């Protein structure tokens, strides 16, 4: 649609579409990861053509703002286009084609693919979109910082998109308020820290296995960065499992069994150049817990999370999905006192326990498939209803 307008459409609905598309383009700048990736979530997430499509939009608006003499705005869109294209560059195979999904498994394995994904058409789609971006590009436009470079914001999109995006100085998170179990868990599903490997973040949560051809939920385990609690009877529950609760569809899985839908509130939003913060609060009937709170604080050192549960629980765990195999390389994993350090390709990241003090990080020794490869779960425990931890590249 942006291309149609750029090519001269001036019909009855020009003003409507022009205004809406411009707002959408600006909003997407605040959703973009500092590594140039579009948000994860839903069908076709983590496919490289997403970034190619974003580059088209950004080149169109860069050129339009340049034509208006608005150099700063044009430069921000130009920077976003270059970030999107640079992201695709991370996924080039030896033969020059792309890994169509952001992992490095052999083509025939089709790891992380949708039923309609294929190496042929999704390489062609990405290449075509990059050609379109090239046709709209004005290389006389100089880059300016993009929102994903600078941060200092919390973008709450509760309605329809059920997401929160936050960024401080290039450290970035994506929070899924109500996951679709076919594609996403509920909770903190993406962390991208500067000077790291974005896929280590983690870059996505772990959803259920879903047969798209038969439209069947094949079960599995749902994980995001966040709390797991155990009750006295031996039951184990995770925030990640309470999917499909904002706009419920009874044909999809949710661990939530309350007769009344839970309340989801995003509060205590703080935005400054030094750091940003927000708190997500779930209030309802969560298997012995009546309220779950995740407080997220982001600054130049990384992401600090504090999980608070109200209810009768025996112990709480903080779970952290670790990428252990991207299809070509296994992650180097180093457990130290109160932390675990992951290293893969061009980056490192650390999951560190803060409270309770002297906590021991352990792993569940699982091998769970998801878009980016296989994951295991790092965790530590508390006998209190409060647990705090940090994800950082500074250790």
């Amino acid at each position: 649609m942006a291309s149609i307008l750029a090519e001269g459409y001036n019909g009855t609905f020009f003003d409507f579409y022009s205004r809406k598309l411009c707002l959408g383009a600006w909003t997407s700048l605040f959703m973009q990861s500092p590594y140039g990736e579009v948000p994860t979530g839903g069908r076709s997430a983590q496919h490289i053509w997403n970034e190619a499509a974003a580059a088209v939009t950004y080149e169109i608006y860069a050129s339009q703002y340049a034509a208006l003499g608005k150099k700063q705005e044009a430069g921000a869109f130009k920077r976003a286009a270059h970030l999107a294209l640079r992201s695709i560059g991370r996924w080039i195979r030896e033969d020059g084609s792309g890994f169509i999904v952001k992992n490095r498994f052999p083509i025939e394995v089709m790891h992380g693919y949708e039923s309609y994904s294929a190496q042929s058409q999704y390489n062609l789609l990405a290449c075509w979109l990059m050609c379109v971006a090239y046709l709209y590009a004005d290389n006389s436009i100089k880059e300016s910082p993009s929102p994903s470079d600078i941060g200092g914001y919390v973008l709450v999109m509760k309605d329809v998109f059920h997401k929160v995006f936050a960024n401080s100085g290039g450290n970035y998170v994506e929070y899924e308020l109500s996951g679709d179990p076919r594609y996403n868990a509920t909770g903190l599903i993406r962390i991208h820290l500067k000077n790291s490997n974005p896929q280590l973040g983690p870059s996505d949560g772990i959803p259920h296995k879903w047969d798209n051809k038969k439209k069947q939920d094949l079960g599995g385990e749902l994980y995001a960065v966040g709390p797991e609690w155990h009750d006295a009877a031996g039951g184990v529950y995770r925030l990640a499992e309470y999917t499909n609760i904002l706009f419920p569809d009874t044909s999809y899985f949710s661990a939530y069994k309350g007769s009344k839908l839970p309340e989801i509130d995003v509060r205590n939003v703080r935005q400054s150049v030094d750091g940003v913060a927000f708190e997500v609060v779930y209030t309802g009937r969560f298997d012995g817990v009546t309220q779950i709170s995740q407080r997220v604080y982001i600054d130049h050192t990384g992401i600090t999370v504090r999980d608070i549960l109200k209810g009768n629980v025996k112990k709480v765990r903080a779970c952290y999905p670790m990428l252990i195999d991207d299809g070509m390389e296994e992650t180097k994993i180093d457990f130290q006192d109160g932390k675990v350090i992951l290293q893969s390709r061009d980056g490192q990241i650390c999951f560190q326990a803060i409270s309770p003090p002297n906590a021991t990080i352990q792993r569940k020794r699982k091998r769970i498939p998801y878009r980016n490869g296989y994951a295991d779960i790092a965790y530590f425990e508390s006998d209190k209803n409060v647990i705090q931890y940090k994800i950082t590249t500074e250790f």
Side-chain angles (χ1 to χ4, degrees):
M1 184 62 71
S3 180
I4 291 173
L5 267 62
E7 293 299 323
Y9 171 80
N10 195 27
T12 304
F13 298 102
F14 173 81
D15 288 341
F16 173 83
Y17 285 119
S18 178
R19 183 175 66 257
K20 292 292 186 181
L21 289 169
C22 185
L23 289 172
W26 273 106
T27 302
S28 71
L29 290 186
F30 290 85
M31 298 163 68
Q32 186 183 39
S33 141
Y35 288 93
E37 294 191 23
V38 303
T40 191
R43 286 180 46 162
S44 292
Q46 307 268 351
H47 286 60
I48 62 170
W49 67 260
N50 288 293
E51 283 73 30
V56 174
T57 299
Y58 297 149
E59 291 289 10
I60 288 173
Y61 281 92
S63 296
Q64 290 185 350
Y65 276 111
L68 295 173
K70 297 184 176 182
K71 295 182 180 179
Q72 200 72 19
E73 292 88 341
F77 277 103
K78 174 62 76 173
R79 169 66 173 166
H82 287 171
L83 286 172
L85 294 171
R86 185 183 300 171
S87 171
I88 297 172
R90 295 177 62 90
W91 301 103
I92 304 302
R93 291 161 40 87
E94 288 186 359
D95 63 5
S97 66
F99 293 98
I100 64 166
V101 179
K102 295 185 179 78
N103 63 64
R104 293 179 170 83
F105 287 85
I107 296 170
E108 60 271 19
V109 176
M110 301 180 70
H111 188 96
Y113 284 28
E114 296 291 343
S115 60
Y116 48 79
S117 303
Q119 184 75 4
S120 55
Q121 98 274 19
Y122 272 173
N123 261 288
L124 289 170
L125 176 58
C127 288
W128 172 72
L129 287 165
M130 286 187 282
C131 290
V132 175
Y134 173 81
L135 293 174
Y136 283 115
D138 178 352
N139 290 330
S140 70
I141 299 171
K142 295 182 179 180
E143 282 190 6
S144 299
S146 182
S148 64
D149 294 310
I150 301 170
Y153 61 84
V154 177
L155 176 63
V156 181
M157 306 180 74
K158 181 177 177 180
D159 296 332
V160 182
F161 290 104
H162 40 85
K163 301 276 193 181
V164 179
F165 300 92
N167 184 320
S168 178
N171 288 332
Y172 162 102
V173 303
E174 176 184 346
Y175 197 104
E176 171 59 71
L177 295 170
S178 175
D180 180 332
R182 300 170 297 172
Y183 307 111
N184 297 107
T186 293
L188 183 53
I189 60 173
R190 170 173 280 186
I191 297 171
H192 281 182
L193 300 185
K194 58 188 177 183
N195 304 319
S196 183
N197 174 349
Q199 273 57 58
L200 286 177
S203 197
D204 207 345
I206 300 175
H208 268 185
K209 297 176 183 177
W210 175 260
D211 188 326
N212 202 38
K213 291 181 179 179
K214 296 181 180 179
K215 308 299 181 185
Q216 290 181 352
D217 189 332
L218 303 181
E221 298 179 278
L222 290 148
Y223 279 97
V225 178
E228 172 183 282
W229 60 97
H230 298 220
D231 63 21
V236 181
Y237 312 96
R238 286 184 295 278
L239 171 61
E241 297 178 316
Y242 297 96
T243 53
N244 189 33
I245 52 176
L246 195 58
F247 303 104
D249 183 331
T250 55
S251 63
Y252 299 144
F253 170 83
S254 178
Y256 192 79
K257 300 299 186 293
S259 57
K260 180 182 177 182
L261 287 177
E263 297 178 9
I264 307 174
D265 188 22
V266 182
R267 60 177 72 157
N268 296 327
V269 172
R270 183 163 70 84
Q271 304 176 97
S272 75
V273 294
D274 298 321
V276 301
F278 65 93
E279 180 181 11
V280 181
V281 180
Y282 295 85
T283 304
R285 297 181 61 184
F286 296 93
D287 295 288
V289 171
T290 58
Q291 190 175 86
I292 306 165
S293 167
Q294 279 202 292
R295 299 178 182 177
V296 180
Y297 175 70
I298 313 172
D299 63 10
H300 70 280
T301 67
I303 317 296
T304 302
V305 183
R306 190 179 190 209
D307 298 334
I308 306 170
L309 279 64
K310 292 184 179 180
N312 186 19
V313 300
K314 184 177 180 181
K315 63 182 176 182
V316 177
R317 286 179 174 177
C319 292
Y320 177 75
M322 304 185 294
L323 174 67
I324 59 173
D325 185 350
D326 69 3
M328 190 178 290
E329 181 178 293
E330 293 188 354
T331 303
K332 297 178 182 177
I333 303 174
D334 180 16
F335 285 88
Q336 299 181 11
D337 290 341
K339 60 187 175 184
V340 58
I341 299 169
L342 311 181
Q343 180 180 354
S344 178
R345 301 188 182 277
D346 54 351
Q348 293 182 310
I349 203 163
C350 175
F351 172 57
Q352 180 178 354
I354 296 176
S355 178
N358 303 316
T360 300
I361 305 282
Q362 303 178 66
R363 63 189 297 181
K364 294 192 174 185
R365 299 203 173 276
K366 295 177 177 289
R367 187 174 172 85
I368 311 173
Y370 73 125
R371 294 274 198 196
N372 299 129
Y374 284 93
D376 192 4
I377 309 300
Y379 69 93
F380 68 97
E381 298 181 350
S382 173
D383 58 3
K384 307 294 184 182
N385 285 23
V386 179
I387 198 164
Q388 187 168 340
Y389 45 95
K390 185 167 188 173
I391 300 93
T392 181
T393 57
E394 298 183 10
F395 48 87

